[in-house]
Amino acid sequence: SVPCVGHRGELRLTFNLSCGRVPPMRSTAQLAPGPKGSCLFGSLSEMRRDALGLLTRTARDHGDIARILLVIHLHLLNHPDYVQHVLQSHHTNYQKDMSYDRMKPLVGEGLLTSNGDFWRRQRRLAQPAFHKQRLVGFAGAMSRNTDNMLERWHAVGEQPVDIGIEMMRVALGIVGETLFSIDLVGEAEEVSQALTLTLEITNERFQQLFVLPNVPTPQNLRFKRAVATLDRVVNQVIGARRQSGKDEGDLLSMLMLARDEETGEAMDDRQLRDEVMTMLLAGHETTANLLTWTWYLLSKSPEVERQLHAEVEQVLSGRTPTVEDLPKLRFTMQVIEESLRLYPPAWLFSREAIEADELGGYPIPKGSSVMMSPYITHRHPAFWENPEGFDPERFALDRVKERPRFAYFPFAGGPRQCIGNNFALMEAQIIIAMVVQRYRLHLVPGQRIEPEPAVTLRPNGPVKMVLKPR
């Protein structure tokens, strides 16, 4: 039962929606402010047409907590204290909401989509694989795949390339070697094609009002065939690894060898499959988008680019970076962090309140959802001066200490913080350092590059760049 509030604030209409789970609200005086939208569907059409614009205007016009009607009521939380409340200090009262169900046909009940005790068990099992000491062993795979890309670029000359595709390719090579010890770009081209297709269709589904995955539409049939291809390859790798019992030192071996410290149990094949699919997605799409946005920003900021080149030359003197070099590449990391501030690949998180709560003096009813957008909070004028500017100096250590912890949360936060955040940051640092040793990337003039919010925040089309050898 969803109330529709008229322009004078009175309750005009109540109607039932079988797809919603919104508890009745007895008094409009309790409601947080927000855009009115249409009487029946609120701001749904605007959210589908221009999600970033709607959220930006809502935060600007209605403050740090705002109510948005999208068939069901949602609250947009913009203040770092409210984000911290949901993700960290009161995280036990909030779980992943139904929006994550659209990811389940691809990743199943992996860490991205699961809840409750099952999620906690999976997190305990997977966490040791991402310990910083474990990640040291993956640096070689990251530099090898980057070097392969740079050798291929040597043959390209100064013909424009789509840097988004280039970053997808190198990220897929790295995740294939570190996760499976196989070449997902070369030996298993079908995996690359199937993964690309499933991600494209999942992105499309996030833009659709209704998704009927079991109806045999052409899109659904293509999706099922692609998922079947991924399942076949993943299950073959898992089966062969079970049979050999060999520890390859990759993430799959670590997950297979992990034992729950409370029960002593290991993951079964279905759980392994779901976590592998989750890591394929997270280790491919998100890192590639982070790198693409970084090259775009650097190409428009020559002074920042010069400072980045100077640091890399001073620290590495032409050497391939090692793990020991990374702490010295501090400005390189600041460039990455500022790119994540402006264009966070995970641009929106949503949670469902398990029990009723209160934020900012407004009630959060049991069963209702809240949204937190790094894209919006990372531009909050109370915490970020010149929020649209590209300024890596914001992440100098003394300036970081001045901001609230959750003014910046590109990897979420609290117990459900992205398990692969250190992996992604190390990968991005190595790739960027190696590329700028040999190339400057120039954006081809005349392109209109805009962020497109779907599963991740990706560019709305090709990002054509010319590779200038240094």
Side-chain angles (χ1 to χ4, degrees), residues 15-88:
F15 59 98
N16 292 320
L17 289 169
S18 60
C19 59
R21 295 184 293 172
V22 182
M25 296 185 181
R26 286 178 281 180
S27 169
T28 59
Q30 296 180 38
L31 298 179
K36 292 183 173 59
S38 70
C39 197
L40 287 179
F41 294 106
S43 301
L44 180 63
S45 62
E46 190 177 1
M47 185 71 175
R48 294 178 63 207
R49 184 178 65 253
D50 182 18
L52 295 178
L54 171 65
L55 298 184
T56 298
R57 290 187 293 274
T58 298
R60 180 194 65 205
D61 297 341
H62 302 288
D64 288 332
I65 179 168
R67 175 184 51 85
I68 303 178
L69 177 61
L70 303 174
V71 179
I72 63 174
H73 279 287
L74 301 166
H75 284 85
L76 175 65
L77 311 179
N78 306 308
H79 195 282
D81 291 350
Y82 300 158
V83 176
Q84 183 170 13
H85 177 95
V86 171
L87 295 183
Q88 187 177 65

Side-chain angles (χ1 to χ4, degrees), residues 391-420:
D391 178 14
E393 293 296 343
R394 301 177 200 274
F395 289 92
L397 296 179
D398 56 338
R399 293 179 65 178
V400 170
K401 295 175 183 177
E402 297 172 355
R403 290 189 295 268
R405 162 66 183 85
F406 281 84
Y408 180 73
F409 58 110
F411 296 102
R416 294 201 73 143
Q417 179 170 280
C418 173
I419 196 172

Side-chain angles (χ1 to χ4, degrees), residues 32 57 108 111 122 163 166 207 235 277 295 309 376 395:
R57 290 187 293 274
L111 286 173
Q122 290 297 96
I163 204 65
E166 295 297 315
Q207 304 295 330
N235 289 332
M277 289 295 188
W295 298 126
H309 288 177
I376 302 300
F395 289 92

Side-chain angles (χ1 to χ4, degrees), residues 178-204:
T178 57
L179 179 60
F180 287 139
S181 298
I182 62 175
D183 180 6
L184 288 181
V185 178
E187 293 179 14
E189 182 66 26
E190 62 177 349
V191 175
S192 175
Q193 294 173 356
L195 186 60
T196 299
L197 178 61
T198 55
L199 287 172
E200 287 176 355
I201 293 176
T202 301
N203 275 319
E204 291 172 11

